[in-house]
Amino acid sequence: MALASTEKVVLGCIAFGIFWVLAVFPSVPFMPVGRTAGSLLGAMLMVLFRVMSPEDAYKAIDLPILGLLFGTMVVSIFLERADMFKYLGSALAWRSRGSKDLLFRVCLVSAVASALFTNDTCCVVLTEFILKLARQNNLPPQPFLLALASSSNIGSAATPIGNPQNLVIAVQSGITFGQFLVGVFPAMIVGVITNTCILLCYFWKYLSVPEKDQERGGGSGGGGGGAAGPEVVADDEVTSHRFTPARMSHASSVNGGGDDCVSEPMRRSDSLNRADTLSGMRSRSYNSEGDIQVAIRSMRASSMSQEMVEVSTVCGDGGGGGGVGVGVGPRKITRTTSHQRSVIIEDAPEGDAARDGGEKGKDGEEVKEKRWKVLVWKSAVYLTTLGMLVALLMGLNMSWSAITAALVLLALDFTDAQACLEKVSYSLLIFFCGMFITVAGFNRTGIPNTLWEMVEPHSRIDSAKGTALLAVVILVLSNVASNVPTVLLLGTRVAVSAAAISPASEKKAWLILAWVSTVAGNLTLLGSAANLIVCEQARRAQFFGYNLTFWSHLRFGVPSTIIVTTIGLLIVASY
C-alpha cells in the first residue's frame, strides 16, 4: 500500500499522535481527559479530517472482540461475588513457610489467575491483600508487588482471554483456545519460574529476614519489636479482608451481604449477653451491616469505637445469678426493616425468655437455609465458568461462549441485572471502539505499511536472526505505542509475511506476537495497564500504602523482560 496524499498523511498523524499521547499519558496538563476520551477524540479527528468516512469508521469496530471482553467482565464479576478471589488470597497465606515461599506463591497464583480471569482483574483484586500480607509478616512490599505485576503479565500470555491483545489475536487469527494454550502455555510456565528466580536473586538479602525478627514483627503485642520494621497488621485484618476491585467496584460477596451479615452479630451478641461488662455500655446507633461487624470486634476488644448499631441496656434484677455489681437479664434482639438497617440489643422481660428461644430456633433455620442457597448459587457460578472454559477448549466461538456464560449467570442470579451490569467497565469497551477507528485511520495513511516493508525482509521467522529482529520490533512498539495498538498495527502484516513461508509459520507468527507483546509489558511501569493498577492500588491502600516508583520497577523490569522474552521465544518458536 502506497502512501496516501500528503494532506491525509499529515492529518492522520496528528489524530493518531493525539490518541497516543492521551493513551500513554492520560493526565497530561494541557488535556487531562483520560484514555477513553482520548481514544474517542482520535477517532473523531480521523473522521473530521476525512482520513476515513463515517461508514468505514463503524466498520472498523470489531464487535466479536467487544463481545468477548464484555462476557469475560461479567463472568469475572460473578466470580468475585462468589468469593473466588478471596479463596485465591487465602491460598497465599495458608501455611506459608517463610518469605521466599510466599513470593513463589504470589508468582504462581497471580499467573494462573491472570490466565483465566485477565491480568487487570487479578491485579485489582490481589494488590491490597498482598500488600497487607507483606506488612503482616514484616517484609518489604516491593518484591511482592513486582511479583504480582510481572507474573500477571506473563501468566496472561497463556490464553486468549488472559489480556486484551490476546483477544485481538485470537479473533483475527482464528486460532482456537486449545491451540493457543498448547502453543504458549509451556513458555508461560518456564517464564513464571524464570521470573521467580530473578526476583529471588534480586531481593534475596531483603527476604532473608531472621525468623525471630519476623515473629517479633508479626505479633500484635506492644514491645519494641515493631520498631525494627514496617508496621504490622493483626491477623484478623488480613483474613477478613474483602476485595473491592476498582473495575468492579462495590461488588459485594454473597456471604458479605443480606441476612448473613446480621446473623453474625446476632450470634456474637448471645455470647455478649453473659458478659457483665456490657451493662456499662452507652447507647449507640449503627446503620450499616459492615459497621456492625466492626462494632462487635470493638466490643470483644473492650473498647467501643465510633460506629453505628444501637445498643440499649436496661438493668434487671439478674434472675438470681449473684452477679458482679449489676445483674444482666436475657437480651432481646430485634431487627428493623427501615431504609438503613439497625440492630437493637435490649434487655427482655423474664416472661419473654421462652418466646425468644423459639425465635432463636427460627433464626437458626433461616441461617441454615440461607447458607444452603449460597452454596448452591456459588456452585452454579463455578460450574457455568467451567462450562465456558470447556466450550472455549472445544473450539466454539469464543465471543458467543463468553456472552452465553454471562447471560446464564445473570439469569441464575434471579435479581435485576442492573446492579451487576453497572460494574462492567464500559469505559474500556468505549476505549476499544475509539482505538479500533483511530488505528484503522492511521493504517489508511500508508505509514505503517511503508515502515513494515522496510523491516519485513529482515524479520521473517524462518531464521533465528529474523525472529530476534521481529521480537525487538514488537518489544519496542509495545512500550512506545502500547501492546494493543501494536497488535492491531502489526498483526495482519506479520501473519501475511509468515504465511508466505508456510501455513504453520503463520500460526507461529501469531503466537510469537502474543508472547512478546504481553511480556513486553514488564519492561517499564508504563508498559502494561496491570503495572499501573498495582502501583496505584498500592499507593492508595489505606494505612499500608506503598509507592512503587518508575525506577524501582525499571531496575527489575529490564533484565526480567529480556531474559523471560528470550527463553519463551525459543519455546514458542519451536512449536
Side-chain angles (χ1 to χ4, degrees):
M1 178 181 177
L3 284 172
S5 63
T6 305
E7 180 184 3
K8 278 191 175 183
V9 169
V10 173
L11 294 177
C13 288
I14 292 174
F16 184 80
I18 293 174
F19 159 76
W20 179 83
V21 170
L22 294 179
V24 178
F25 308 103
S27 300
V28 290
F30 60 86
M31 192 177 291
V33 297
R35 291 185 176 90
T36 302
S39 70
L40 290 178
L41 179 60
M44 180 196 70
L45 291 177
M46 287 293 181
V47 176
L48 289 180
F49 292 161
R50 295 186 179 181
V51 177
M52 60 193 311
S53 65
E55 292 76 15
D56 292 334
Y58 285 124
K59 291 179 182 178
I61 299 175
D62 201 322
L63 292 179
I65 295 176
L66 296 181
L68 187 54
L69 270 174
F70 172 80
T72 52
M73 284 181 190
V74 174
V75 172
S76 295
I77 291 171
F78 274 94
L79 286 172
E80 197 276 337
R81 287 181 55 195
D83 288 336
M84 168 62 77
F85 298 104
K86 181 180 177 182
Y87 299 148
L88 289 176
S90 300
L92 293 174
W94 184 67
R95 294 187 180 181
S96 177
R97 297 183 178 180
S99 57
K100 301 176 183 66
D101 175 53
L102 183 60
L103 185 71
F104 175 77
R105 292 189 187 195
V106 170
C107 292
L108 182 62
V109 170
S110 58
V112 174
S114 297
L116 298 177
F117 312 119
T118 75
N119 54 350
D120 292 357
T121 301
C122 174
C123 291
V124 165
V125 298
L126 290 180
T127 297
E128 189 172 352
F129 181 87
I130 289 174
L131 185 61
K132 285 187 176 182
L133 201 59
R135 297 292 196 185
Q136 179 197 27
N137 291 280
N138 206 26
L139 295 170
Q142 183 180 349
F144 299 95
L145 295 176
L146 289 174
L148 173 63
S150 58
S151 297
S152 296
N153 286 327
I154 296 171
S156 68
T159 63
I161 60 175
N163 54 59
Q165 62 267 21
N166 280 11
L167 296 177
V168 175
I169 290 172
V171 172
Q172 290 187 350
S173 66
I175 299 176
T176 65
F177 189 95
Q179 292 173 334
F180 203 107
L181 187 65
V182 171
V184 184
F185 184 77
M188 184 271 278
I189 293 295
V190 176
V192 170
I193 295 174
T194 304
N195 186 66
T196 305
C197 293
I198 296 173
L199 280 166
L200 288 173
C201 294
Y202 193 82
F203 294 103
W204 186 270
K205 182 176 68 174
Y206 299 97
L207 296 174
S208 300
V209 181
E211 295 248 345
K212 58 180 182 180
D213 291 346
Q214 291 188 18
E215 291 175 2
R216 186 174 59 215
S220 58
E231 186 177 359
V232 182
V233 300
D235 289 343
D236 58 343
E237 286 188 73
V238 174
T239 55
S240 65
H241 173 66
R242 186 168 299 282
F243 301 105
T244 53
R247 183 163 294 170
M248 300 179 291
S249 57
H250 310 297
S252 59
S253 164
V254 174
N255 289 339
D259 296 338
D260 280 357
C261 290
V262 181
S263 63
E264 176 65 20
M266 288 172 65
R267 288 193 298 272
R268 292 184 179 179
S269 65
D270 291 338
S271 62
L272 289 173
N273 287 340
R274 296 187 294 271
D276 295 334
T277 56
L278 188 62
S279 59
M281 288 183 181
R282 294 177 295 173
S283 230
R284 280 183 175 82
S285 169
Y286 296 79
N287 294 322
S288 77
E289 294 167 347
D291 291 334
I292 292 171
Q293 294 179 356
V294 176
I296 299 301
R297 288 198 206 100
S298 301
M299 292 181 203
R300 293 173 62 188
S302 302
S303 61
M304 291 296 293
S305 308
Q306 298 176 357
E307 277 93 342
M308 305 176 136
V309 164
E310 184 172 331
V311 181
S312 301
T313 59
V314 179
C315 297
D317 55 5
V324 179
V326 180
V328 180
R331 295 300 195 271
K332 180 180 179 182
I333 302 174
T334 59
R335 184 171 56 205
T336 65
T337 56
S338 60
H339 179 66
Q340 288 184 325
R341 295 179 185 169
S342 63
V343 173
I344 302 174
I345 303 177
E346 60 183 5
D347 288 331
E350 292 293 335
D352 292 343
R355 185 175 60 189
D356 289 344
E359 291 179 357
K360 203 175 295 183
K362 291 181 180 179
D363 289 340
E365 293 178 359
E366 290 179 1
V367 169
K368 289 181 180 179
E369 183 180 358
K370 177 68 175 178
R371 287 179 177 173
W372 182 81
K373 289 181 179 179
V374 168
L375 181 61
V376 172
W377 184 85
K378 283 186 177 183
S379 300
V381 172
Y382 297 145
L383 289 175
T384 303
T385 306
L386 182 62
M388 181 190 75
L389 295 176
V390 171
L392 295 176
L393 286 171
M394 291 176 60
L396 300 180
N397 184 281
M398 287 189 289
S399 179
W400 281 107
S401 296
I403 293 175
T404 301
L407 293 177
V408 169
L409 291 174
L410 290 172
L412 291 175
D413 201 33
F414 289 104
T415 57
D416 190 348
Q418 180 179 354
C420 179
L421 294 178
E422 285 177 350
K423 300 178 182 72
V424 173
S425 180
Y426 295 104
S427 61
L428 179 63
L429 299 177
I430 296 173
F431 171 80
F432 265 76
C433 291
M435 181 177 60
F436 286 142
I437 297 173
T438 306
V439 173
F442 188 58
N443 280 329
R444 286 174 175 267
T445 63
I447 293 178
N449 195 65
T450 301
L451 295 175
W452 175 249
E453 287 177 352
M454 296 169 57
V455 177
E456 192 271 339
H458 310 286
S459 59
R460 294 184 178 179
I461 62 172
D462 56 350
S463 66
K465 184 179 178 180
T467 303
L469 179 59
L470 177 63
V472 171
V473 171
I474 298 171
L475 188 68
V476 172
L477 278 179
S478 295
N479 281 275
V480 172
S482 187
N483 40 28
V484 180
T486 296
V487 168
L488 291 173
L489 288 170
L490 290 181
T492 54
R493 294 177 174 87
V494 171
V496 170
S497 174
I501 302 172
S502 68
S505 297
E506 181 180 359
K507 183 188 299 183
K508 185 188 299 183
W510 282 111
L511 296 179
I512 290 174
L513 180 61
W515 172 255
V516 178
S517 63
T518 300
V519 180
N522 287 337
L523 187 68
T524 67
L525 191 62
L526 302 176
S528 168
N531 298 344
L532 296 174
I533 289 171
V534 170
C535 178
E536 288 301 305
Q537 292 281 97
R539 186 174 63 85
R540 296 178 182 179
Q542 192 175 14
F543 305 121
F544 309 104
Y546 181 83
N547 184 26
L548 183 64
T549 64
F550 178 88
W551 296 109
S552 63
H553 185 283
L554 186 68
R555 284 193 295 268
F556 163 77
V558 171
S560 173
T561 303
I562 294 174
I563 296 172
V564 173
T565 302
T566 303
I567 294 175
L569 191 61
L570 295 175
I571 298 174
V572 175
S574 63
Y575 170 64

